Amino acid sequence: MLENGTVATKKQNVSMVDFVIEIIKGWVAQNVYQCGDKLPSESKLVAQTGASRSSVREAMKILSTIGLVQIKRGNGTYISEHADQVVWPIASVRQKTQWSLRELSESREMIERAAVEIIILSAKEEQIYALEQANNQLLDAVERELEQEEQFQRDLAFHKQLGASTQNPLMEELYDYMMEVVKDYIHEDYQQFPSMGYVSYLMHQRMIDAIRYRDFELARQAVVDATHNFVKPGDLQDKE
Protein backbone atom coordinates (compact mmCIF):
# COMPACT_ATOMS: atom_id res chain seq x y z
CA MET A 1 0.00 0.00 0.00
CA LEU A 2 2.53 2.57 -1.20
CA GLU A 3 4.82 1.63 1.68
CA ASN A 4 7.32 -0.01 -0.64
CA GLY A 5 8.23 3.26 -2.31
CA THR A 6 6.27 2.64 -5.50
CA VAL A 7 4.20 5.32 -7.18
CA ALA A 8 0.44 4.77 -7.14
CA THR A 9 -1.58 4.68 -10.36
CA LYS A 10 -3.87 7.65 -10.92
CA LYS A 11 -7.21 7.12 -12.62
CA GLN A 12 -7.97 9.13 -15.71
CA ASN A 13 -9.79 12.49 -15.21
CA VAL A 14 -8.89 12.62 -11.50
CA SER A 15 -6.89 15.66 -10.36
CA MET A 16 -3.67 15.10 -8.46
CA VAL A 17 -5.16 16.79 -5.40
CA ASP A 18 -8.14 14.41 -5.41
CA PHE A 19 -5.77 11.51 -6.08
CA VAL A 20 -3.78 12.27 -2.91
CA ILE A 21 -7.01 12.72 -0.93
CA GLU A 22 -8.30 9.32 -2.04
CA ILE A 23 -4.99 7.68 -1.08
CA ILE A 24 -5.10 9.12 2.46
CA LYS A 25 -8.77 8.22 2.77
CA GLY A 26 -7.97 4.67 1.66
CA TRP A 27 -5.18 4.39 4.24
CA VAL A 28 -7.62 5.27 7.01
CA ALA A 29 -10.39 3.00 5.70
CA GLN A 30 -7.97 0.05 5.50
CA ASN A 31 -6.27 0.81 8.83
CA VAL A 32 -2.88 1.37 7.23
CA TYR A 33 -2.83 4.50 9.38
CA GLN A 34 -5.09 4.79 12.41
CA CYS A 35 -6.35 7.73 14.47
CA GLY A 36 -3.38 9.56 15.98
CA ASP A 37 -0.78 8.07 13.62
CA LYS A 38 1.72 10.37 11.95
CA LEU A 39 1.63 10.44 8.15
CA PRO A 40 4.75 10.25 5.97
CA SER A 41 6.60 13.51 5.37
CA GLU A 42 5.62 15.77 2.49
CA SER A 43 8.67 14.69 0.46
CA LYS A 44 7.83 11.01 0.99
CA LEU A 45 4.19 11.56 -0.05
CA VAL A 46 5.44 13.30 -3.19
CA ALA A 47 7.63 10.28 -4.00
CA GLN A 48 4.89 7.74 -3.19
CA THR A 49 2.03 9.42 -5.06
CA GLY A 50 3.85 11.13 -7.92
CA ALA A 51 2.04 14.37 -7.02
CA SER A 52 3.74 17.75 -6.80
CA ARG A 53 4.45 19.39 -3.45
CA SER A 54 1.71 21.96 -4.12
CA SER A 55 -0.84 19.18 -4.80
CA VAL A 56 0.13 17.36 -1.60
CA ARG A 57 -0.16 20.59 0.40
CA GLU A 58 -3.57 21.43 -1.10
CA ALA A 59 -4.81 17.90 -0.40
CA MET A 60 -3.68 18.15 3.22
CA LYS A 61 -5.38 21.53 3.57
CA ILE A 62 -8.68 20.03 2.36
CA LEU A 63 -8.29 16.94 4.55
CA SER A 64 -7.61 19.19 7.54
CA THR A 65 -10.72 21.26 6.78
CA ILE A 66 -12.98 18.21 6.75
CA GLY A 67 -11.37 16.77 9.87
CA LEU A 68 -9.51 13.77 8.45
CA VAL A 69 -6.02 14.99 9.37
CA GLN A 70 -4.50 17.41 11.85
CA ILE A 71 -1.55 19.53 10.75
CA LYS A 72 0.85 20.30 13.60
CA ARG A 73 3.23 23.00 12.47
CA GLY A 74 6.82 21.94 12.90
CA ASN A 75 5.76 18.43 13.91
CA GLY A 76 4.13 16.91 10.82
CA THR A 77 0.64 15.78 9.86
CA TYR A 78 -1.39 13.26 11.85
CA ILE A 79 -4.57 11.28 11.27
CA SER A 80 -7.16 13.04 13.44
CA GLU A 81 -8.72 11.37 16.46
CA HIS A 82 -12.11 11.31 14.69
CA ALA A 83 -10.92 10.40 11.20
CA ASP A 84 -12.79 7.09 11.19
CA GLN A 85 -16.06 9.01 11.45
CA VAL A 86 -15.22 10.82 8.21
CA VAL A 87 -14.72 7.65 6.17
CA TRP A 88 -17.46 5.42 7.64
CA PRO A 89 -20.42 4.74 5.32
CA ILE A 90 -23.54 6.76 6.11
CA ALA A 91 -25.66 3.84 7.23
CA SER A 92 -22.95 2.54 9.52
CA VAL A 93 -22.47 5.89 11.22
CA ARG A 94 -26.17 6.50 11.70
CA GLN A 95 -26.49 3.16 13.45
CA LYS A 96 -23.56 3.92 15.75
CA THR A 97 -24.30 7.50 16.77
CA GLN A 98 -27.11 9.78 17.90
CA TRP A 99 -26.26 13.47 17.70
CA SER A 100 -27.68 16.49 19.48
CA LEU A 101 -29.01 19.35 17.39
CA ARG A 102 -26.12 21.49 18.60
CA GLU A 103 -23.63 18.94 17.25
CA LEU A 104 -25.49 18.75 13.95
CA SER A 105 -25.58 22.53 13.64
CA GLU A 106 -21.89 22.97 14.37
CA SER A 107 -20.93 20.19 11.96
CA ARG A 108 -23.20 21.49 9.22
CA GLU A 109 -21.71 24.98 9.49
CA MET A 110 -18.15 23.65 9.27
CA ILE A 111 -18.78 21.30 6.34
CA GLU A 112 -21.00 23.67 4.36
CA ARG A 113 -18.53 26.51 4.73
CA ALA A 114 -15.69 24.26 3.56
CA ALA A 115 -17.73 23.15 0.54
CA VAL A 116 -18.58 26.72 -0.50
CA GLU A 117 -14.96 27.83 -0.07
CA ILE A 118 -13.74 24.96 -2.26
CA ILE A 119 -16.25 25.98 -4.93
CA ILE A 120 -15.07 29.59 -4.74
CA LEU A 121 -11.53 28.45 -5.47
CA SER A 122 -12.39 26.36 -8.51
CA ALA A 123 -15.88 27.17 -9.84
CA LYS A 124 -16.33 27.94 -13.51
CA GLU A 125 -19.38 29.59 -15.00
CA GLU A 126 -21.09 26.25 -15.65
CA GLN A 127 -21.01 25.35 -11.95
CA ILE A 128 -22.43 28.73 -10.98
CA TYR A 129 -25.13 28.39 -13.64
CA ALA A 130 -26.06 24.90 -12.39
CA LEU A 131 -26.42 26.22 -8.84
CA GLU A 132 -28.60 29.10 -10.02
CA GLN A 133 -30.79 26.75 -12.04
CA ALA A 134 -31.27 24.46 -9.04
CA ASN A 135 -32.14 27.40 -6.80
CA ASN A 136 -34.51 28.84 -9.40
CA GLN A 137 -36.35 25.52 -9.38
CA LEU A 138 -37.00 26.06 -5.68
CA LEU A 139 -38.16 29.62 -6.31
CA ASP A 140 -40.48 28.36 -9.05
CA ALA A 141 -42.07 25.92 -6.58
CA VAL A 142 -42.54 28.75 -4.08
CA GLU A 143 -44.04 31.16 -6.60
CA ARG A 144 -46.44 28.53 -7.91
CA GLU A 145 -47.33 27.60 -4.32
CA LEU A 146 -46.52 23.96 -4.84
CA GLU A 147 -46.83 21.62 -1.86
CA GLN A 148 -44.25 21.94 0.90
CA GLU A 149 -42.99 18.44 0.13
CA GLU A 150 -42.13 19.48 -3.42
CA GLN A 151 -40.36 22.61 -2.16
CA PHE A 152 -38.41 20.49 0.31
CA GLN A 153 -37.27 18.10 -2.43
CA ARG A 154 -36.09 21.01 -4.56
CA ASP A 155 -34.22 22.39 -1.58
CA LEU A 156 -32.41 19.05 -1.24
CA ALA A 157 -31.69 19.10 -4.99
CA PHE A 158 -29.92 22.44 -4.59
CA HIS A 159 -27.70 21.03 -1.85
CA LYS A 160 -26.99 17.97 -4.00
CA GLN A 161 -25.80 20.33 -6.72
CA LEU A 162 -23.74 22.28 -4.19
CA GLY A 163 -21.88 19.13 -3.20
CA ALA A 164 -21.28 18.20 -6.84
CA SER A 165 -20.02 21.71 -7.58
CA THR A 166 -17.03 21.21 -5.28
CA GLN A 167 -15.67 18.87 -8.00
CA ASN A 168 -14.04 17.01 -5.14
CA PRO A 169 -15.34 13.44 -4.69
CA LEU A 170 -14.43 13.23 -1.03
CA MET A 171 -16.01 16.57 -0.13
CA GLU A 172 -19.08 15.74 -2.21
CA GLU A 173 -19.47 12.45 -0.32
CA LEU A 174 -19.00 14.17 3.02
CA TYR A 175 -21.43 16.96 2.16
CA ASP A 176 -24.06 14.48 0.92
CA TYR A 177 -23.63 12.56 4.14
CA MET A 178 -24.13 15.70 6.22
CA MET A 179 -27.33 16.56 4.33
CA GLU A 180 -28.59 13.01 4.81
CA VAL A 181 -28.14 13.42 8.56
CA VAL A 182 -29.86 16.83 8.86
CA LYS A 183 -32.60 16.46 6.26
CA ASP A 184 -35.22 15.23 8.74
CA TYR A 185 -34.86 18.47 10.70
CA ILE A 186 -35.13 20.52 7.50
CA HIS A 187 -38.23 18.54 6.58
CA GLU A 188 -39.79 19.44 9.94
CA ASP A 189 -39.19 23.12 9.19
CA TYR A 190 -40.96 22.80 5.84
CA GLN A 191 -43.93 21.24 7.59
CA GLN A 192 -44.07 23.92 10.28
CA PHE A 193 -43.21 27.12 8.40
CA PRO A 194 -45.05 27.98 5.15
CA SER A 195 -42.36 30.51 4.16
CA MET A 196 -39.47 28.04 4.56
CA GLY A 197 -39.03 27.56 0.82
CA TYR A 198 -38.57 31.26 0.13
CA VAL A 199 -36.23 31.72 3.11
CA SER A 200 -34.11 28.80 1.85
CA TYR A 201 -34.05 30.29 -1.65
CA LEU A 202 -32.70 33.58 -0.27
CA MET A 203 -30.05 31.77 1.81
CA HIS A 204 -28.96 29.76 -1.22
CA GLN A 205 -28.76 32.89 -3.37
CA ARG A 206 -26.35 34.51 -0.92
CA MET A 207 -24.08 31.48 -1.21
CA ILE A 208 -24.25 31.69 -5.01
CA ASP A 209 -23.40 35.41 -4.90
CA ALA A 210 -20.41 34.67 -2.68
CA ILE A 211 -19.22 32.04 -5.17
CA ARG A 212 -19.75 34.30 -8.18
CA TYR A 213 -17.79 37.20 -6.64
CA ARG A 214 -15.18 34.94 -4.97
CA ASP A 215 -16.07 36.57 -1.64
CA PHE A 216 -14.96 34.38 1.28
CA GLU A 217 -16.37 36.70 3.96
CA LEU A 218 -19.80 36.77 2.30
CA ALA A 219 -19.62 32.98 2.04
CA ARG A 220 -18.81 32.66 5.74
CA GLN A 221 -21.67 34.95 6.75
CA ALA A 222 -24.13 33.26 4.38
CA VAL A 223 -23.36 29.84 5.85
CA VAL A 224 -23.52 31.14 9.44
CA ASP A 225 -26.91 32.77 8.79
CA ALA A 226 -28.21 29.62 7.10
CA THR A 227 -27.10 27.54 10.07
CA HIS A 228 -28.72 29.92 12.54
CA ASN A 229 -31.92 29.64 10.52
CA PHE A 230 -31.60 25.84 10.78
CA VAL A 231 -31.37 26.10 14.60
CA LYS A 232 -33.89 28.54 16.03
CA PRO A 233 -34.18 29.86 19.59
CA GLY A 234 -35.45 27.12 21.86
CA ASP A 235 -34.65 24.29 19.45
CA LEU A 236 -31.57 23.16 21.33
CA GLN A 237 -33.59 22.51 24.45
CA ASP A 238 -36.59 21.08 22.63
CA LYS A 239 -34.73 18.62 20.39
CA GLU A 240 -31.63 17.62 22.30
Side-chain angles (χ1 to χ4, degrees):
M1 185 70 179
L2 289 176
E3 290 302 291
N4 58 2
T6 59
V7 177
T9 302
K10 185 174 81 71
K11 295 180 181 178
Q12 196 172 18
N13 299 324
V14 174
S15 73
M16 290 307 298
V17 173
D18 288 338
F19 179 53
V20 175
I21 288 172
E22 288 302 313
I23 288 173
I24 305 301
K25 181 184 174 185
W27 281 346
V28 176
Q30 297 176 38
N31 290 317
V32 175
Y33 289 93
Q34 300 180 2
C35 298
D37 287 349
K38 186 176 182 179
L39 284 171
S41 66
E42 182 181 283
S43 59
K44 189 170 183 180
L45 285 172
V46 167
Q48 290 179 324
T49 64
S52 66
R53 287 184 178 272
S54 61
S55 293
V56 169
R57 288 171 186 167
E58 182 63 24
M60 291 305 162
K61 186 185 300 183
I62 293 170
L63 290 170
S64 175
T65 298
I66 65 175
L68 191 65
V69 305
Q70 181 181 10
I71 300 172
K72 299 181 180 180
R73 296 192 180 279
N75 194 27
T77 302
Y78 292 77
I79 302 297
S80 75
E81 294 298 327
H82 304 289
D84 49 359
Q85 296 179 20
V86 177
V87 298
W88 281 339
I90 291 174
S92 174
V93 177
R94 296 195 72 177
Q95 290 171 1
K96 291 174 180 287
T97 311
Q98 292 295 322
W99 299 277
S100 70
L101 190 59
R102 183 187 304 278
E103 291 167 337
L104 291 175
S105 175
E106 290 172 349
S107 298
R108 178 182 180 181
E109 181 178 327
M110 179 189 74
I111 295 169
E112 195 154 79
R113 180 177 172 183
V116 173
E117 289 181 350
I118 287 174
I119 298 171
I120 287 176
L121 290 171
S122 61
K124 295 181 174 59
E125 188 58 38
E126 52 261 37
Q127 277 88 45
I128 299 172
Y129 177 77
L131 286 168
E132 288 182 330
Q133 287 294 101
N135 202 31
N136 286 337
Q137 287 295 311
L138 174 57
L139 180 60
D140 174 70
V142 172
E143 291 179 337
R144 292 199 289 137
E145 299 183 350
L146 300 184
E147 293 183 358
Q148 293 295 93
E149 183 64 29
E150 178 62 25
Q151 294 182 32
F152 167 67
Q153 292 299 329
R154 296 191 185 194
D155 191 334
L156 293 184
F158 169 82
H159 287 285
K160 184 70 175 176
Q161 182 59 52
L162 189 70
S165 296
T166 65
Q167 303 178 79
N168 179 312
L170 178 57
M171 176 55 78
E172 181 178 0
E173 181 180 333
L174 182 61
Y175 189 76
D176 286 349
Y177 160 65
M178 183 272 294
M179 288 305 301
E180 176 70 20
V181 171
V182 303
K183 72 177 184 180
D184 289 344
Y185 290 100
I186 299 174
H187 190 254
E188 287 180 19
D189 283 345
Y190 269 91
Q191 292 177 322
Q192 296 177 25
F193 305 106
S195 63
M196 187 64 193
Y198 187 61
V199 171
S200 294
Y201 163 78
L202 293 176
M203 296 291 182
H204 298 167
Q205 193 58 49
R206 290 183 66 196
M207 294 182 195
I208 295 171
D209 290 342
I211 293 166
R212 178 176 294 282
Y213 298 110
R214 318 293 176 177
D215 190 328
F216 287 93
E217 178 56 30
L218 177 58
R220 184 196 69 80
Q221 193 59 54
V223 172
V224 167
D225 290 346
T227 305
H228 287 179
N229 183 68
F230 170 65
V231 181
K232 302 166 193 59
D235 280 354
L236 293 177
Q237 291 182 349
D238 294 341
K239 292 183 179 180
E240 280 190 329

